Amino acid sequence: MTPLLDELNRKAAQTKLGGGPKKIDDQHRKGKLTARERIDYLIDNGTSFIEIGLFAGEGLYTEHGGCPSGGVVIGIGYVAGRQCIIVANDATVKAGAWFPITAKKNLRAQEIAMENRLPIIYLVDSAGVYLPLQDEVFADKEHFGRIFRNNAQMSAMGIVQVAAIMGSCVAGGAYLPIMSDEALIVEGTGSIFLAGPYLVKASIGEDVDAETLGGASTHSEISGVTDNKYPDDKSCLDAIRRIFDKMGEPEKAGFNRTKTVLPAQNPEEIYSLLPSDRVKPYDMREIIARLVDNSEFDEYKELYGQTILCGYARIDGWAVGIVANQRKVVKAKGRTGAGGTSGPVEMQMGGVIYSDSADKAARFIMNCNQKKIPLVFLQDVTGFMVGSRSEQGGIIKDGAKMVNAVANSVVPKFTVVVGNSYGAGNYAMCGKAYDPRLIVAWPTAQMAVMSGASAAKTLLQIQVASLKARGETITPEKEQELLQKITNQYNEQLSPYYAAARLWVDAVIDPLDTRTWISMGIEAANHAPITKPFNVGVIQT
């Protein structure tokens, strides 16, 4: 774990530099704080801030100079004691221009705000759409325009939106702050207009400077587009704190919380509990004992369906239902199937989901919905069990039952990818497609349709067959060379950073930060009362 954590810390520190020290200095020379400095100043001292999508855009757009963190900083924090979403354009990255991943990341922030009914703060400093990639940003349903649609819907839902124009705010992007409930602007640096001075000159021949066209005085004194102007970044951020200080209390969902108790088992032991060999068994109960309050885990159906652990616990005082893949070697009873009844057999779990485990998990998820208990999924799954005995025993039917329960669950769900996350196991264990409120990965995580070894061998067979069909001779050396090339390419795609770059996960985190993420996630979810009844529809039994 040590080299993996070193890599995480190194990548995080580099990414947080945004466009680099020179660009940061440029911001300061203009009298502006950087996006991260604005957030640090705004949030309450001594409180946690969990960053969503730190590694978004990593390795993407290299031909355009890259886009660290998607050119925008997003997270959940506390302002004047109120939990909220903060979105801050990073003007050190291409002047805060919108790349495709920037739009996706902003939409993720709004999704979290809408699901949890959290107030949202926009710290605007952006040059608008990055024109060389406009065809990937502008016109589709999940592109730039969806943000303004969400602005309107959040306003109708009663979700507070406050925007501060602290730099450029151009073209279509001008609608974001003005569709918010309150719009503030910084004198001298903030500007907002549908078309800048150059475009105005080209379009209608008018010569006008940026300040006259769309500066703080114009919009606060003449147009009325903004509500108030402030002399600098800090005074503007102070004004936001005063707005939040006077907000009324939100409704609550009513999730159960008691006094926080630290785990009785040392959480740092997680580092040594996870084996470096991905197929080596370990006991997930030992991991759970280092994540939950007082290391207490009340297990559900402990002796049945042992490839999945289910049970009740508390994390930072919050009651949770945990669904976790088990990797331990156990003695399991045989099951009646096409091949007859077998006696007790030793099974190496390997994160495989069997029929009885899927059945157990589905029942447990239903119970948590009945009791209004948030769900936490700990993924280390290679998929569902295959083979004739499993197929004839109804593995597809039982797997569908579990997927159905996850998909229709109305209590908030949180997913932690501990190790493997392969195939349909990813779906059943509440992968990104199943709307977890937050989904994070440990540095040990891997996500793909199948493991690197299995995929590489399959892809090799396809390539070798194709080459032979063209009449080429494949020597053992050539075959090994192909295998290595395929393996390297596939393993790169397995990386948690590959997933984080594309926002398949919200973050790659140190395992010791897991409790904070889940606790703040449930606190956020507690702002949104559950109004939809739990109903799983039709299930094959």
Side-chain angles (χ1 to χ4, degrees), residues 158-172:
I159 297 171
V160 174
Q161 300 174 83
V162 177
I165 302 155
M166 313 185 85
S168 297
C169 186
V170 184

Side-chain angles (χ1 to χ4, degrees), residues 15-236:
T15 303
K16 288 178 180 179
L17 290 175
K22 184 178 181 300
K23 294 291 186 181
I24 293 172
D25 290 341
D26 289 344
Q27 284 280 97
H28 292 161
R29 276 193 294 272
K30 295 173 184 175
K32 299 162 66 176
L33 300 175
T34 66
R36 295 184 182 280
E37 289 167 345
R38 288 166 178 162
I39 291 173
D40 288 343
Y41 183 85
L42 179 62
I43 61 176
D44 297 345
N45 291 332
T47 60
S48 297
F49 177 77
I50 56 175
E51 185 169 348
I52 308 294
L54 171 63
F55 298 113
E58 179 173 296
L60 305 179
Y61 318 118
T62 53
E63 67 276 23
H64 298 276
C67 187
S69 209
V72 62
V73 184
I74 287 171
I76 303 175
Y78 299 88
V79 174
R82 293 297 299 267
Q83 195 179 47
C84 60
I85 299 287
I86 303 173
V87 178
N89 297 115
D90 186 352
T92 71
V93 179
K94 293 288 191 299
W98 289 66
F99 282 67
I101 197 67
T102 317
K104 185 174 183 179
K105 189 170 173 179
N106 275 265
L107 289 170
R108 176 62 178 142
Q110 290 183 320
E111 179 183 39
I112 293 171
M114 294 168 81
E115 283 181 330
N116 300 291
R117 301 187 71 87
L118 284 181
I120 187 166
I121 298 168
Y122 305 102
L123 305 180
V124 184
D125 193 346
S126 172
V129 168
Y130 184 64
L131 287 177
L133 296 174
Q134 66 84 27
D135 62 322
E136 299 178 47
V137 183
F138 172 66
D140 207 350
K141 179 180 178 180
E142 301 300 331
H143 283 176
F144 190 59
R146 186 78 170 184
I147 292 163
F148 315 133
R149 172 265 194 190
N150 288 349
N151 283 141
Q153 291 213 337
M154 283 192 286
S155 184
M157 293 168 67
I159 297 171
V160 174
Q161 300 174 83
V162 177
I165 302 155
M166 313 185 85
S168 297
C169 186
V170 184
Y175 289 106
L176 185 148
I178 309 311
M179 293 187 73
S180 299
D181 302 328
E182 299 199 43
L184 320 180
I185 189 167
V186 178
E187 292 182 273
T189 56
S191 60
I192 179 169
F193 30 64
L194 293 181
Y198 294 118
L199 185 54
V200 167
K201 174 67 174 176
S203 299
I204 64 174
E206 180 185 2
D207 284 309
V208 61
D209 63 86
E211 189 65 24
T212 303
L213 183 64
S217 294
T218 294
H219 286 311
S220 295
E221 301 171 22
I222 301 172
S223 74
V225 166
T226 55
D227 300 322
N228 287 298
K229 63 179 182 178
Y230 300 90
D232 53 41
D233 280 8
K234 288 185 178 181
S235 60
C236 186

Side-chain angles (χ1 to χ4, degrees), residues 353-502:
I353 303 175
Y354 288 77
S355 286
D356 51 0
S357 301
D359 173 67
K360 176 173 92 170
R363 290 169 180 265
F364 179 72
I365 291 165
M366 293 176 193
N367 278 341
C368 287
N369 275 271
Q370 185 83 345
K371 299 183 179 105
K372 204 160 74 170
I373 299 175
L375 286 158
V376 175
F377 293 82
L378 302 178
Q379 286 195 9
D380 192 347
V381 58
T382 53
F384 286 90
M385 189 60 190
V386 297
S388 60
R389 179 179 293 276
S390 291
E391 297 291 0
Q392 293 171 24
I395 186 66
I396 295 176
K397 176 182 65 178
D398 291 323
K401 187 188 303 181
M402 182 178 175
V403 169
N404 193 311
V406 173
N408 286 297
S409 180
V410 295
V411 295
K413 303 172 295 233
F414 303 88
T415 301
V416 180
V417 186
V418 172
N420 303 322
S421 180
Y422 299 150
N426 170 283
Y427 303 154
M429 290 295 294
C430 197
K432 185 64 182 291
Y434 288 78
D435 298 322
R437 296 293 177 97
L438 293 171
I439 176 170
V440 296
W442 288 0
T444 46
Q446 289 189 349
M447 278 156 280
V449 172
M450 61 181 73
S451 71
S454 298
K457 290 175 184 176
T458 303
L459 292 167
L460 176 66
Q461 291 173 11
I462 295 169
Q463 283 203 21
V464 167
S466 176
L467 291 170
K468 286 181 176 178
R470 295 204 298 264
E472 296 186 32
T473 302
I474 307 299
T475 64
E477 292 76 17
K478 176 66 173 176
E479 188 169 321
Q480 187 59 38
E481 181 184 334
L482 278 172
L483 178 61
Q484 189 60 52
K485 181 180 178 182
I486 293 168
T487 301
N488 291 342
Q489 180 181 356
Y490 198 86
N491 282 342
E492 181 183 340
Q493 296 175 2
L494 290 171
S495 164
Y497 300 104
Y498 189 91
R502 291 153 180 80

